[in-house]
Amino acid sequence: MIKIGKWKIDKTALAFISPALLLYVLFIIVPTVSSVYYSFTSWDGISPEVKFVGLANYREIFTSARFGNALKNTLILTVFISVLENAFALGLAVLVDKVRWWKNVFRSAFYIPVLISGIVSGFIWKIMYNYNFGAINSILTDIGLGQFKQDWLGNTSLTLIMIGIVLVWKGAGYYMIIYLASLQSVSTDVIEAAEIDGASPWQKFRNITIPLISGAFTINFTLSLINGLKVFDQINVMTDGGPGFTSETLVYLLYKVGFNEGRQGFGTAVGIMLLFIIIILNTIQQKFLRSREVQL
């Protein structure tokens, strides 16, 4: 037993946790602390010279139109995918839960997009969105709706929506599994009691099923919020933040200024701001959703 002040640590336990603790400190704590330090500098990421500039990077963040645009794009994309991903995932979970045959086939089919990497899914959908030979415009032409053909990623009013559709397609299957597990844990006795009282299918779903799976809503909305705020792969492959800065999000802004423009100091400041935004939004969402959970 090792005694450190008021703390007593078992030597055997310390031996088991020390490798993981060392890795955690080296790859999480140290980079986080160094990022906070570099956010107060004008370091370019390469030069051994690190110039301390105080709050200059943060002042630029609060006065930068580019940061404001990236924040707006990030919030729009996050709300879009959080709502649609969960709605689509819940619909798939209800469908899989209700089918009598081939339940595992449906579950596997809906989960396949989750297994595709973000880079690959971005390439697939970029080809599908192509104006000249993409599948979407080809189908529209074949069914006589050629007048609706679009440059889906080049149209500034559609770019974020098109990226959001890709993210919903890729992520819904993961959230479906969580909803499906919650649906299958709902007691049949409660449902049968509601049926005896004459409740319609919609009334049973709205007043019984939804409250009883509220814990799944908390988990899924938290995950989709975080994933929406840090989306990168699809934007990198499909639009490179364009056209212009139409699809540039906070994470992509961090990447562009930090690595392409050689402004690591400003990039890490953006990263610190993103961390605070995630903490604040997640705290608000958690408080809202947990207050609506049904305790059994």
Side-chain angles (χ1 to χ4, degrees):
M1 188 72 69
I2 302 173
K3 187 174 182 180
I4 304 176
K6 296 181 179 179
W7 297 89
K8 293 182 179 180
I9 304 176
D10 185 85
K11 292 181 180 180
T12 304
L14 181 61
F16 276 105
I17 68 173
S18 56
L21 181 61
L22 178 61
L23 291 175
Y24 181 79
V25 170
L26 288 177
F27 293 103
I28 302 295
I29 302 300
V30 172
T32 301
V33 173
S34 63
S35 294
V36 173
Y37 167 72
Y38 285 123
S39 71
F40 295 104
T41 70
S42 60
W43 187 44
D44 61 4
I46 300 175
S47 172
E49 181 182 354
V50 180
K51 182 181 178 181
F52 186 80
V53 294
L55 296 173
N57 289 327
Y58 291 97
R59 281 196 294 268
E60 182 178 350
I61 283 175
F62 287 109
T63 58
S64 170
R66 188 176 177 185
F67 179 86
N69 175 70
L71 177 61
K72 179 195 72 174
N73 292 339
T74 301
L75 294 177
I76 291 173
L77 198 56
T78 300
V79 171
F80 181 86
I81 68 174
S82 293
V83 173
L84 288 190
E85 256 182 346
N86 281 278
F88 193 42
L90 181 59
L92 293 177
V94 171
L95 175 63
V96 173
D97 187 51
K98 295 298 182 183
V99 295
R100 294 184 178 182
W101 297 282
W102 297 353
K103 187 184 294 285
N104 290 333
V105 174
F106 281 110
R107 183 163 50 191
S108 300
F110 295 146
Y111 192 77
I112 285 176
V114 180
L115 304 177
I116 302 174
S117 74
I119 297 294
V120 174
S121 65
F123 274 119
I124 292 172
W125 281 86
K126 185 177 182 179
I127 295 172
M128 291 177 64
Y129 284 145
N130 186 276
Y131 181 82
N132 296 312
F133 55 80
I136 296 176
N137 282 343
S138 297
I139 292 172
L140 289 174
T141 301
D142 292 342
I143 63 176
L145 298 175
Q147 67 271 25
F148 294 106
K149 288 172 60 177
Q150 292 283 338
D151 183 4
W152 300 102
L153 295 177
N155 188 332
T156 56
S157 62
L158 294 175
T159 307
L160 281 178
I161 296 175
M162 295 300 104
I163 294 173
I165 289 173
V166 178
L167 295 169
V168 171
W169 169 82
K170 186 181 184 315
Y174 179 81
Y175 303 115
M176 175 200 71
I177 297 298
I178 298 176
Y179 281 128
L180 183 59
S182 293
L183 286 172
Q184 293 177 344
S185 68
V186 174
S187 174
T188 56
D189 294 339
V190 180
I191 302 297
E192 290 172 358
E195 291 175 349
I196 293 173
D197 289 338
S200 66
W202 170 245
Q203 289 174 326
K204 288 185 293 182
F205 183 74
R206 178 183 177 183
N207 299 316
I208 298 176
T209 304
I210 292 295
L212 290 178
I213 65 170
S214 55
F217 280 100
T218 301
I219 295 171
N220 283 345
F221 271 97
T222 299
L223 292 174
S224 59
L225 171 71
I226 295 173
N227 289 332
L229 290 173
K230 64 182 184 68
V231 61
F232 173 83
D233 294 352
Q234 288 80 5
I235 293 176
N236 183 36
V237 171
M238 297 173 69
T239 63
D240 193 31
F245 300 107
T246 305
S247 61
E248 187 174 73
T249 58
L250 288 179
V251 173
Y252 207 71
L253 171 63
L254 185 160
Y255 163 74
K256 294 285 280 189
V257 299
F259 295 95
N260 288 12
E261 301 173 17
R263 303 178 62 200
Q264 284 281 352
F266 183 75
T268 52
V270 173
I272 297 299
M273 291 301 300
L274 177 60
L275 173 62
F276 281 113
I277 291 171
I278 291 176
I279 291 173
I280 292 170
L281 293 181
N282 187 51
T283 301
I284 294 172
Q285 181 177 264
Q286 285 280 318
K287 185 175 181 180
F288 175 79
L289 292 174
R290 289 198 179 280
S291 64
R292 283 158 174 74
E293 288 187 12
V294 174
Q295 302 296 330
L296 296 178

